[in-house]
Amino acid sequence: TDCHTYYKRQGAIPKEVESHIKSFLEKHPQVALRSSMIAEDQADSSFAGLFETILDVTKSNWEESLRKVFDSVSSERVKEYI
């Protein structure tokens, strides 16, 4: 959530996160990107599958992909579920 909160407030990805992602993508050139929250699954609700999952993420599209995942938190699908 710290990264998501920073993104919402600053409109940017934290430099430390950006550095980790770029380093990871050097070793793994194509990945899937999905959300993961501590409270994603609870006894009375489950948010698993509500947020975007982006396939074929590479070093050329990772930032746009991460923004799509972050922005999916406020999607109509999530609003209707809540």
Side-chain angles (χ1 to χ4, degrees):
T1 54
D2 291 337
C3 183
H4 181 257
T5 301
Y6 183 93
Y7 170 74
K8 283 178 63 176
R9 290 182 181 157
Q10 304 296 323
I13 314 283
K15 294 296 180 193
E16 182 179 338
V17 173
E18 182 177 332
S19 176
H20 287 298
I21 291 172
K22 286 179 176 179
S23 176
F24 185 83
L25 287 171
E26 289 296 322
K27 298 173 189 151
H28 310 279
Q30 192 171 23
V31 299
L33 183 61
R34 65 173 299 275
S35 72
S36 181
M37 297 182 349
I38 293 171
E40 199 166 281
D41 292 312
Q42 298 180 357
D44 60 346
S45 65
S46 174
F47 285 88
L50 286 177
F51 306 120
E52 288 293 324
T53 295
I54 311 292
L55 304 176
D56 302 322
V57 176
T58 65
K59 60 183 175 183
S60 66
N61 71 352
W62 73 265
E63 190 170 357
E64 175 187 353
S65 299
L66 185 57
R67 289 177 187 275
K68 284 182 181 178
V69 172
F70 282 161
D71 292 342
S72 72
V73 171
S74 57
S75 71
E76 285 302 314
R77 179 173 55 187
V78 173
K79 288 177 187 176
E80 288 177 16
Y81 182 78
I82 294 174

